[in-house]
Amino acid sequence: MKKYDVAVVGATGLVGSTFLKLLWEYKFPINTLTLFASEKSAGKKVKYGDSEYTVKKLEKGCFDGVEIALFSAGGSVSKEWAPEAEKSGAVVIDNSSAWRMVKECALIVPEINLNHFDGARKIVANPNCSTIQSVLPLKPLNDVFGIKRVVYSTYQAVSGSGMKGKNDLARTLKGEAPEFYPYNISETCIPQIDVFEDNGYTKEELKMVNETRKILGIPDLPVSATCVRVPVMNAHAVSIMVELEKPFTLEEVKKAFESQEGIKVLDDPKNSIYPVSTVANDNDLVYVGRIRRDLSTANGILFYCVSDNIRKGAAANAIQIAKALIKEGKI
Ligand SMILES: NC(=O)c1ccc[n+]([C@@H]2O[C@H](COP(=O)([O-])OP(=O)(O)OC[C@H]3O[C@@H](n4cnc5c(N)ncnc54)[C@H](OP(=O)(O)O)[C@@H]3O)[C@@H](O)[C@H]2O)c1
């Protein structure tokens, strides 16, 4: 089996360290591994399996020979350095939002739209974490019943803000003042993720709108979102209302969810069986439950889904993209 020369950019971060954990866990075929972070981390030792690797800083020519570059160092680093890696011949899989809406760059959830990668650009974008876990259940609904309209309400864990978010929850739980979020996240939900645009939506909300349309290939799909940060350490939740084209039974909807790779249905509310963050922690599935008719529309369905935002919402999805492209002979 061929082994690959792999680079991880942002290797000291929350997503980057999960990349390393999962590359090892999935036994990804690695020939050489090169780790990058900011200048302040250059020289730092990081463990991968039983070996130690020295973190490097990004510099001209640093991607020479790299075949797969996994980026998780923020948008500005991706904007500047992903094209360098691409020019060196690497396939880049980028976790930031920098390339997601660029027409030539595929935005991929491998169970749904791997066919969007046509090689025109070798930068592949990993979607927003809440979007990944939401489009997975939307795909089978669209295939079977057709989707007419979507409304998202998210409950997003602090790990979605990286180390800064986790540290702020830990700090405020001990009674210390917040240093990252505008309010004490240990005491309140915060209905703001990222900055506000002029239309009253945050960038995170608009990412969910635009990325859902691009992944599902329905450019004019009516979608709205409200994104809220909650005092949970890890695993995002999303409540989703979908108006369907065709009438449905709840059994048919459940069957559609169960047929989708990557989804596990947990839906026995009378016995308190439904998706919770602790079930989703540290695995790659999207858990779906609380499936019921929307009382306000004729063909509306409501459900709730939970997933580990650092794994399926980021590192796992990106490595699954790499594995799937290898399997198809595209890397
Ligand atoms: N957390 C999530 O749920 C999630 C989900 C999907 C996507 N993402 C995206 O993934 C990216 C990383 O998120 P994270 O949560 O892992 O953040 P994080 O924990 O803050 O880690 C950021 C990483 O980027 C590195 N970095 C910062 N500036 C750099 C520079 N100038 N050059 C090279 N490396 C640099 C940092 O290195 P130092 O340690 O040296 O500072 C660190 O390794 C972001 O684009 C984020 O939007 C995150």
Side-chain angles (χ1 to χ4, degrees):
M1 189 200 212
K2 178 175 159 47
K3 292 186 171 179
Y4 295 84
D5 296 318
V6 175
V8 174
V9 181
T12 52
L14 209 47
V15 176
S17 55
T18 308
F19 269 139
L20 298 180
K21 178 179 148 172
L22 296 188
L23 287 167
W24 182 259
E25 191 180 306
Y26 298 164
K27 298 187 174 56
F28 196 89
I30 291 179
N31 181 39
T32 63
L33 179 64
T34 315
L35 307 183
F36 297 103
S38 77
E39 275 196 74
K40 83 167 197 271
S41 299
K44 198 173 159 182
K45 306 274 185 212
V46 168
K47 265 202 133 188
Y48 174 69
D50 301 327
S51 314
E52 261 191 350
Y53 286 77
T54 304
V55 174
K56 297 180 178 175
K57 66 174 183 172
L58 294 163
E59 56 194 344
K60 205 146 188 58
C62 68
F63 293 107
D64 289 352
V66 171
E67 295 173 285
I68 300 170
L70 303 169
F71 272 67
S72 64
S76 54
V77 174
S78 290
K79 257 189 202 138
E80 184 179 351
W81 291 97
E84 290 288 322
E86 186 185 33
K87 254 188 255 155
S88 301
V91 168
V92 175
I93 301 171
D94 180 39
N95 262 283
S96 80
S97 57
W99 298 93
R100 291 181 189 151
M101 296 315 295
V102 173
K103 197 168 170 276
E104 296 75 25
C105 295
L107 179 67
I108 291 180
V109 178
E111 298 91 334
I112 298 181
N113 66 330
L114 194 68
N115 60 345
H116 285 191
F117 180 81
D118 61 5
R121 287 295 301 258
K122 286 168 85 180
I123 300 174
V124 179
N126 203 54
N128 163 273
C129 39
S130 300
T131 309
I132 292 176
Q133 72 180 70
S134 301
V135 291
L136 256 176
L138 289 185
K139 169 76 165 88
L141 291 185
N142 191 42
D143 288 348
V144 180
F145 309 101
I147 288 180
K148 217 163 136 186
R149 185 169 74 98
V150 179
V151 181
Y152 294 131
S153 304
T154 74
Y155 307 79
Q156 296 182 225
V158 293
S159 62
S161 311
M163 292 308 296
K164 289 189 183 101
K166 288 182 78 164
N167 291 342
D168 221 41
L169 177 56
R171 188 184 299 118
T172 49
L173 278 171
K174 288 190 286 186
E176 294 170 26
E179 285 181 5
F180 178 66
Y181 294 117
Y183 292 91
N184 182 330
I185 187 67
S186 73
E187 291 180 335
T188 183
C189 302
I190 303 175
Q192 176 185 0
I193 299 183
D194 211 331
V195 296
F196 282 97
E197 299 283 16
D198 290 342
N199 62 0
Y201 284 81
T202 62
K203 270 194 175 167
E204 181 83 354
E205 289 161 352
L206 296 177
K207 281 178 203 167
M208 289 195 79
V209 171
N210 295 325
E211 294 180 24
T212 297
R213 291 172 174 159
K214 182 168 176 177
I215 296 163
L216 294 178
I218 317 174
D220 52 359
L221 181 69
V223 187
S224 270
T226 303
C227 292
V228 180
R229 187 73 67 197
V230 298
V232 168
M233 204 47 98
N234 192 48
H236 290 349
V238 188
S239 167
I240 308 180
M241 195 290 285
V242 192
E243 207 179 325
L244 298 170
E245 297 278 359
K246 293 186 193 157
F248 60 86
T249 66
L250 290 179
E251 272 320 302
E252 286 170 333
V253 166
K254 238 184 234 186
K255 227 169 106 188
F257 287 144
E258 277 161 354
S259 71
Q260 175 63 53
E261 185 194 347
I263 286 184
K264 186 169 169 59
V265 173
L266 287 182
D267 196 41
D268 180 9
K270 288 201 173 126
N271 290 308
S272 302
I273 307 285
Y274 36 68
V276 291
S277 305
T278 42
V279 166
N281 256 335
D282 210 23
N283 68 75
D284 298 339
L285 291 172
V286 174
Y287 294 87
V288 175
R290 296 295 320 278
I291 303 163
R292 62 209 190 279
R293 276 182 189 281
D294 175 41
L295 300 178
S296 67
T297 42
N299 282 334
I301 181 92
L302 273 168
F303 60 95
Y304 185 76
C305 68
V306 175
S307 188
D308 186 325
N309 49 293
I310 304 292
R311 286 188 65 132
K312 186 58 185 166
N317 195 69
I319 300 173
Q320 288 165 349
I321 293 172
K323 281 174 68 179
L325 291 177
I326 287 173
K327 200 169 162 200
E328 296 221 333
K330 290 178 176 163
I331 298 186

